[in-house]
Amino acid sequence: MGRFILIDVIVASTLLGLWYAWFIHYNRRRAADVLQWVQAACVGKGRVADLRWQASSSRLKATLHLSSRWFEDAHLTIRLLPRPLPVQWAMSRWRQQQETLTFEANMGFPPGFHLDVIRHRWSGRTGARDSGAKGRGLRDAGSKDAGSKESTRTRAWTISRPGPVILTTKEDWPVELSPVVNALASWRDKNFVGVRFNSTSPHFTATVALENLSDQKAAAALLGLFRELAASSSAKQH
């Protein structure tokens, strides 16, 4: 009996070891692809260096050296799901945690304001209970009246794509914020998790879901947006 338990322990330990090694490799490969896209998007004007892995290869910090007048002391943080640790990975999946890339840097022209942009999406749909109740009512009414009742109860849905809705905690809208908000609104498809401007270091921080970084082209578009936001936030200073 003891020998079978020992065999089970050895098998389980071997499987866990293989799981850990495989997903360490997977996470590092995934992060390396993202960094390669970011560096290639810099077109020779940026270099990724000083890679530091943390939390069982689920978090990577790196320095991004940029020859840009907009950003100084830029850093990247990639947060991945903790795949090497099965229990933590299952919990993160259950909590629907996102894999993200965070870019933070100081700016050559620091913003004269503090702004936190937190992005949310809402969606709605008809309830199954209402449609089920309608169906039961029609069946009870009989086949002859079902058609007429169905036609009168059918709703003509009009689907439209609204513009962004901004909820703010400020009673007075500073004039210098308008270019920043307009730039963010024009890039609504980037699905930012959050953007922060601060008058103290780091002056600019942006977090985006990794699912939006699929290749070099997407990384170049993202860096272009960062430069646009930096320019819009300091438009009054130069």
Side-chain angles (χ1 to χ4, degrees):
M1 184 66 181
R3 185 169 58 181
F4 288 112
I5 294 177
L6 180 60
I7 293 175
D8 290 340
V9 170
I10 293 175
V11 171
S13 300
T14 302
L15 291 176
L16 286 175
L18 291 174
W19 175 290
Y20 185 86
W22 170 257
F23 282 110
I24 286 282
H25 172 76
Y26 178 89
N27 273 7
R28 295 198 173 200
R29 180 69 262 175
R30 178 165 169 75
D33 289 340
V34 173
L35 293 181
Q36 183 179 357
W37 295 331
V38 171
Q39 181 164 298
C42 295
V43 196
K45 298 181 180 180
R47 181 174 58 87
V48 177
D50 303 326
L51 276 64
R52 301 178 300 280
W53 280 102
Q54 301 172 348
S56 297
S57 294
S58 61
R59 183 168 62 245
L60 173 64
K61 292 182 176 291
T63 301
L64 180 60
H65 298 288
L66 290 170
S67 57
S68 169
R69 69 189 182 104
W70 296 115
F71 296 117
E72 303 170 353
D73 301 323
H75 298 277
L76 300 173
T77 301
I78 298 177
R79 289 180 173 85
L80 303 169
L81 295 179
R83 294 180 179 88
L85 305 175
V87 176
Q88 293 186 16
W89 173 76
M91 291 296 295
S92 65
R93 294 283 294 179
W94 181 68
R95 294 170 181 168
Q96 298 182 345
Q97 293 179 353
Q98 284 185 306
E99 295 185 314
T100 59
L101 169 69
T102 298
F103 173 90
E104 57 183 0
N106 290 327
M107 299 167 60
F109 301 93
F113 55 87
H114 177 85
L115 174 67
D116 278 320
V117 180
I118 303 173
R119 188 166 188 173
H120 291 279
R121 288 183 182 271
W122 290 277
S123 61
R125 61 182 180 182
T126 57
R129 180 178 300 178
D130 296 338
S131 60
K134 182 193 295 183
R136 288 194 297 271
L138 293 178
R139 285 195 296 270
D140 293 340
S143 59
K144 182 176 181 180
D145 297 331
S148 60
K149 287 192 176 185
E150 185 177 2
S151 62
T152 57
R153 294 188 184 186
T154 299
R155 297 180 181 180
W157 293 97
T158 301
I159 301 175
S160 60
R161 185 179 185 183
V165 178
I166 300 173
L167 305 178
T168 176
T169 58
K170 289 184 175 292
E171 295 182 2
D172 298 324
W173 188 268
V175 177
E176 60 267 24
L177 293 185
S178 296
V180 177
V181 175
N182 290 337
L184 284 170
S186 64
W187 288 76
R188 56 184 294 170
D189 60 329
K190 290 304 173 189
N191 291 328
F192 276 105
V193 176
V195 176
R196 171 178 292 179
F197 292 89
N198 206 344
S199 55
T200 59
S201 180
H203 302 141
F204 176 77
T205 304
T207 300
V208 64
L210 271 190
E211 62 185 11
N212 296 318
L213 283 174
S214 55
D215 52 26
Q216 177 183 340
K217 182 179 179 181
L222 191 65
L223 291 178
L225 174 58
F226 292 164
R227 288 190 294 268
E228 182 179 345
L229 290 175
S232 62
S233 68
S234 56
K236 302 292 184 180
Q237 304 181 46
H238 65 281

